[in-house]
Amino acid sequence: HVQLVESGGGSVQAGGSLRLSCAASGYTSDTYCMAWFRQAPGKEREGVACFATGGGFINYSDSVKGRFTISQDNVRNTVYLQMHSLNPEDTAMYYCAADPRFCSWSWSTGKVFRYWGQGTQVTVS
């Protein structure tokens, strides 16, 4: 059973940076499609970044392209979301998601991901 635990959220001033972490355990596959999503109060869930841990696929939403970077530490089974130039529109609960199948271009709907973390709050003022 795959478990995902996010951390690293907090409050930051506009223009600042944060790095979110998603620690994974219980992997049963060699490669996964990993993604970060966010949801602000009263808004729909938004796919932020996605990549294949085995390589060959990486994608960002237009709203974060050039400011956010998704990466992994294979030794620690951890996926990161480095966020720069944060603005108040980035305020949301951020969730990590994983699925053992290949990443697809429909990843941002969230429907293809089997495993989800509990989320970590990011507040930008």
Side-chain angles (χ1 to χ4, degrees):
H1 179 65
V2 174
Q3 289 188 313
L4 304 174
V5 179
E6 302 96 334
S7 62
S11 296
V12 63
Q13 289 188 337
S17 300
L18 279 175
R19 188 179 76 161
L20 306 183
S21 300
C22 172
S25 61
Y27 274 159
T28 58
S29 175
D30 289 337
T31 60
Y32 279 78
C33 184
M34 302 292 298
W36 285 95
F37 290 80
R38 66 186 181 185
Q39 188 164 20
K43 294 187 177 181
E44 292 187 355
R45 183 177 62 195
E46 177 189 11
V48 173
C50 177
F51 86 126
T53 62
F57 184 94
I58 188 166
N59 190 241
Y60 296 92
S61 69
D62 288 342
S63 61
V64 307
K65 199 172 294 182
R67 300 188 298 123
F68 291 11
T69 302
I70 189 170
S71 63
Q72 66 176 335
D73 181 332
N74 288 333
V75 174
R76 294 181 172 84
N77 273 350
T78 300
V79 174
Y80 302 101
L81 185 68
Q82 179 68 56
M83 307 184 294
H84 294 299
S85 302
L86 287 163
N87 58 65
E89 289 70 39
D90 296 315
T91 295
M93 185 71 79
Y94 283 71
Y95 299 91
C96 177
D99 195 89
R101 294 168 292 183
F102 291 111
C103 292
S104 72
W105 290 105
S106 64
W107 69 270
S108 62
T109 66
K111 296 178 181 178
V112 299
F113 293 94
R114 192 171 308 177
Y115 306 109
W116 292 82
Q118 294 300 307
T120 185
Q121 177 68 37
V122 171
T123 303
V124 185
S125 60

